Amino acid sequence: MHQEVGGPVPPNTEHAVSVSLPTWKSNVAYEEGEPWLIGKMQCGYPRFFVHPIIQELAKEIVQLHGKPESETAMLFPSPKTARVCYSFILSKLPTEASRKVRIVDLAPPPHTEAESPSVTSLLSGVIFPNEYAPIAKQVWQHSGNGISSRRGEFCLNALRDGFLLEKSHPAMDTTSQKIYKGPRRYQGKDSMNRVARRRGANATTPSSSLSNNETQERHEYSQFIEERFGRNLSTSLSCQAKLAVRRRIAGVLTADVELSEALQRTTEEGRVSGLTEHDVFLFPTGMSSIFNTHKFLLATRGAMKSICFGFPYIDTLKILEKWGPGCLFYGHGSYEDLDDLESRLNNGEKFLALFTEFPGNPLLKSPDLKRIRALADKHNFAVVVDETVGNFININVLPSADIVVSSLTKIFSGDSNVTGGSAVLNPRGHYYHSLKHTFSEEHEDNLWAEDAVFLERNSRDFVSRIEKINRTTEAITAMLKNSSIVKTIYYPKYSPSRPFYDAFRNYNGGYGGLFSVTFYSTAAAAAFFDHLDVFKGPSLGTNFTLSSPYTLLAHYSELDWAGSFGVEFDLVRISVGLENVSDLCCRVQAALDAAAAVTA
């Protein structure tokens, strides 16, 4: 399945989440920053590669508010998220350098149009000298709080139209009752023609009580908003989409129906007794849900070290290490690790929370969650479980967790054209009331309106997709397991930790669509990868099969460290999609034949 190197995956998708790195050589070149490869990158995984639209927006903001020849900007959806980046940069610099870093907050000017979007902030930029970019990039990557490409696209157009102003701009003066008319192009003689094309809007103040000029100004503003936001950015549609998504995550909405009907079709009971959509919080990315969960736990329980149990997705560990008091890392996630943890707890050590994945990525090991829960209850720490790989159709880990986080970018969406994340509070958890208070007070709804609409549409057939992918993946992994050239298959069904997985597997749940495979030589691994006729690139949980040399991409600068926890540097990870099972088996067999030819 061909897609040119550096092209979007899926193809012809402006807001694609993945990027084509179709050969072993191209993955190494990406990590080495080789010009022939980097110059072809049309997009990339959003937290690792800043989308070209966002890059363009950042340049224009620096041109307006900074020094284009020596400064750059990192863009966030709110002042609060921008200040996380601002504080992190300052923490890495000497005091005298702090004045070189600043924040610009941009928003639409205030107005009195009742049906205008309820937006108080669209964009916040952290501007800094170019040499500080590697520091800021850490926040972009680890926190997941950066703006999405769709928000960037909207803001770029709005900025050029004069709709986005710095909050210190005179037009932002809320003491004035004058209605903002929109950009200058809406104030010409042809404005009435534009008004005639607009949809009707019901204002709080009847139009009959307004002067002709005031009525025209409101009409002009409404038309401006409609053109800028477009149909998919209707605020009422966005709110409905987010509600449907939260209900699906709570498990009270499983029907594959249109949005209007979906909101009428919910069951009484979700994943645990008492769980409702009010216990589900949405974020712009999966990493943002983890970052903010950690942040909210610190705010709720105070400054204490956390525990990272099992080999995690790289940025989870980085968050726990770089923000807060630090982290105790158990990379093997073994019996011995739990014994050591129990000994520390019995000796009086205190911890904020234990973060773990169920199952882990990329080794697909499942932790002994029941024992972890027992230790948490006895020694007073929270349990946070990332269920992205397992997903709640296959497993239900919420009863043993205080918070369950997930990347909705992955299998929940499937289409690989939108990012999102969620955090679910267990209503029966020990810390539920205090956490609910903190989440309710501190959570910002930074999931962009249009992203929410796409997320809702993509997730309607979530249940049926999972069932098909489960069946196909079991067939593929069984074939690989019987191959003499395969060294190891990492998949929950074949893992020594399967009993821990099965303890939380739903009655009709399967073992998921992700697995990893290793071979007896790097040459065989590279041949298998190069000849596997599927899309190649970062991410997982896509509706199409997607493969990557995972360790090279995620841990290129720390291969020996990853290897010390059993994550081999030439491991190949495969996320199975919706292709016909016999067709996909043929593609895998062809790749195996190529690998066998290398080893013969």
Side-chain angles (χ1 to χ4, degrees):
M1 190 170 293
H2 178 71
Q3 166 65 318
E4 64 180 5
V5 63
V9 175
N12 306 312
T13 302
E14 185 177 12
H15 301 284
V17 169
S18 190
V19 62
S20 180
L21 296 171
T23 64
W24 198 272
K25 177 183 176 181
S26 63
N27 281 271
V28 173
Y30 172 77
E31 291 297 331
E32 293 283 352
E34 294 186 19
W36 72 266
L37 187 286
I38 301 301
K40 296 179 180 180
M41 296 286 289
Q42 300 174 36
C43 64
Y45 194 73
R47 288 187 302 99
F48 290 85
F49 182 89
V50 180
H51 195 282
I53 290 174
I54 300 174
Q55 293 182 39
E56 189 174 355
L57 175 60
K59 287 180 181 178
E60 296 211 8
I61 287 175
V62 173
Q63 286 176 349
L64 289 171
H65 303 284
K67 301 173 183 177
E69 68 282 356
S70 61
E71 293 184 323
T72 189
M74 195 67 76
L75 306 181
F76 297 89
S78 71
K80 185 183 291 186
T81 50
R83 276 152 182 76
V84 170
C85 182
Y86 175 82
S87 298
F88 186 80
I89 295 174
L90 294 192
S91 72
K92 306 299 180 182
L93 300 175
T95 304
E96 61 271 15
S98 62
R99 58 184 177 80
K100 298 179 181 179
V101 184
R102 58 203 182 280
I103 297 174
V104 56
D105 295 321
L106 302 170
H111 49 80
T112 58
E113 174 61 70
E115 289 217 348
S116 63
S118 55
V119 178
T120 58
S121 178
L122 283 175
L123 192 67
S124 290
V126 183
I127 300 177
F128 46 83
N130 292 335
E131 59 265 29
Y132 301 163
I135 302 175
K137 186 67 181 295
Q138 293 179 56
V139 182
W140 179 275
Q141 176 182 328
H142 301 326
S143 75
N145 282 336
I147 66 168
S148 73
S149 55
R150 286 190 181 86
R151 183 190 288 261
E153 184 177 54
F154 172 84
C155 289
L156 182 59
N157 290 329
L159 184 70
R160 288 171 173 172
D161 283 343
F163 178 55
L164 271 187
L165 299 177
E166 187 176 4
K167 286 194 173 181
S168 60
H169 191 281
M172 304 295 284
D173 182 8
T174 57
T175 61
S176 171
Q177 295 302 310
K178 183 175 177 60
I179 300 172
Y180 177 66
K181 297 182 181 182
R184 188 173 300 279
R185 68 184 180 87
Y186 277 82
Q187 300 174 28
K189 294 180 180 180
D190 62 343
S191 63
M192 291 306 295
N193 293 329
R194 294 191 178 96
V195 170
R197 296 198 304 270
R198 75 177 182 91
R199 293 177 296 181
N202 296 320
T204 303
T205 305
S207 60
S208 59
S209 66
L210 299 173
S211 69
N212 289 337
N213 287 340
E214 289 174 327
T215 301
Q216 180 175 328
E217 287 177 352
R218 287 195 173 192
H219 289 177
E220 289 174 351
Y221 191 86
S222 295
Q223 175 61 17
F224 169 67
I225 291 295
E226 180 177 340
E227 288 189 8
R228 286 276 60 86
F229 272 74
R231 291 185 178 182
N232 284 344
L233 280 172
S234 161
T235 51
S236 60
L237 175 61
S238 170
C239 291
Q240 291 175 341
K242 290 177 182 180
L243 178 58
V245 166
R246 288 163 57 215
R247 286 181 176 175
R248 285 196 182 105
I249 295 168
V252 297
L253 171 58
T254 58
D256 179 6
V257 294
E258 295 294 317
L259 178 58
S260 57
E261 184 180 352
L263 296 178
Q264 305 301 318
R265 293 178 62 174
T266 58
T267 60
E268 292 296 323
E269 211 52 66
R271 294 154 67 176
V272 299
S273 176
L275 180 68
T276 72
E277 68 267 16
H278 302 295
D279 298 315
V280 180
F281 296 83
L282 299 182
F283 296 87
T285 65
M287 235 41 244
S288 178
S289 69
I290 295 173
F291 180 87
N292 285 287
T293 290
H294 179 236
K295 179 181 173 184
F296 297 164
L297 277 164
L298 288 169
T300 302
R301 304 199 60 230
M304 290 182 280
K305 281 188 176 182
S306 288
I307 305 157
C308 185
F309 192 81
F311 193 85
Y313 182 67
I314 180 63
D315 292 301
T316 299
L317 180 58
K318 300 300 185 186
I319 287 169
L320 301 181
E321 289 176 337
K322 295 182 180 183
W323 281 271
C327 171
L328 177 62
F329 178 45
Y330 289 112
H332 293 287
S334 62
Y335 292 106
E336 292 78 11
D337 286 342
L338 276 180
D339 288 343
D340 182 79
L341 174 60
E342 185 168 18
S343 176
R344 289 172 178 267
L345 293 166
N346 287 335
N347 287 331
E349 291 191 45
K350 302 293 183 182
F351 295 96
L352 175 75
L354 182 147
F355 288 73
T356 191
E357 298 174 3
F358 198 99
N361 176 19
L363 298 182
L364 286 302
K365 291 172 61 177
S366 302
D368 186 349
L369 196 52
K370 289 188 175 181
R371 185 178 174 190
I372 289 171
R373 180 72 264 169
L375 289 174
D377 290 340
K378 181 179 178 181
H379 296 282
N380 197 32
F381 60 85
V383 176
V384 181
V385 181
D386 184 345
E387 68 173 6
T388 300
V389 174
N391 78 70
F392 63 85
I393 300 302
N394 288 325
I395 56 173
N396 185 15
V397 295
L398 189 57
S400 286
D402 294 284
I403 307 171
V404 169
V405 293
S406 186
S407 173
L408 306 181
T409 309
K410 310 304 192 299
I411 192 65
F412 185 82
S413 168
D415 275 343
S416 192
N417 62 2
V418 66
T419 64
S422 64
V424 183
L425 303 183
N426 181 355
R428 294 180 173 271
H430 178 69
Y431 302 104
Y432 174 70
H433 294 291
S434 57
L435 285 172
K436 185 66 175 288
H437 175 77
T438 303
F439 269 75
S440 299
E441 290 290 320
E442 298 295 330
H443 174 261
E444 289 187 310
D445 182 4
N446 286 327
L447 180 62
W448 181 238
E450 192 177 8
D451 290 330
V453 171
F454 275 84
L455 196 59
E456 189 280 321
R457 290 173 181 171
N458 293 352
S459 62
R460 289 176 188 174
D461 62 347
F462 176 50
V463 176
S464 60
R465 283 189 286 112
I466 296 297
E467 294 170 350
K468 177 175 175 55
I469 288 171
N470 284 342
R471 292 193 299 269
T472 302
T473 308
E474 289 203 37
I476 297 296
T477 53
M479 183 177 71
L480 288 167
K481 194 172 188 299
N482 291 327
S483 172
S484 61
I485 67 169
V486 170
K487 180 180 178 183
T488 308
I489 283 284
Y490 297 97
Y491 188 56
K493 184 176 181 179
Y494 302 120
S495 172
S497 65
R498 176 176 173 174
F500 300 142
Y501 184 96
D502 284 343
F504 292 89
R505 185 158 62 96
N506 291 325
Y507 177 73
N508 292 318
Y511 294 96
L514 189 73
F515 68 90
S516 299
V517 57
T518 58
F519 298 85
Y520 289 100
S521 71
T522 300
F528 176 84
F529 179 78
D530 288 351
H531 289 84
L532 183 60
D533 187 20
V534 299
F535 285 120
K536 319 280 182 62
S539 199
L540 59 91
T542 48
N543 291 339
F544 45 86
T545 298
L546 184 66
S547 181
S548 72
Y550 176 81
T551 317
L552 287 182
L553 277 181
H555 301 285
Y556 192 75
S557 63
E558 50 188 17
L559 292 175
D560 290 341
W561 173 83
S564 70
F565 296 104
V567 183
E568 298 181 37
F569 82 95
D570 52 4
L571 172 148
V572 177
R573 193 187 71 178
I574 299 174
S575 174
V576 174
L578 297 173
E579 296 90 347
N580 178 275
V581 62
S582 60
D583 174 53
L584 193 54
C585 283
C586 287
R587 299 187 204 181
V588 172
Q589 186 59 56
L592 285 172
D593 292 342
V598 170
T599 58

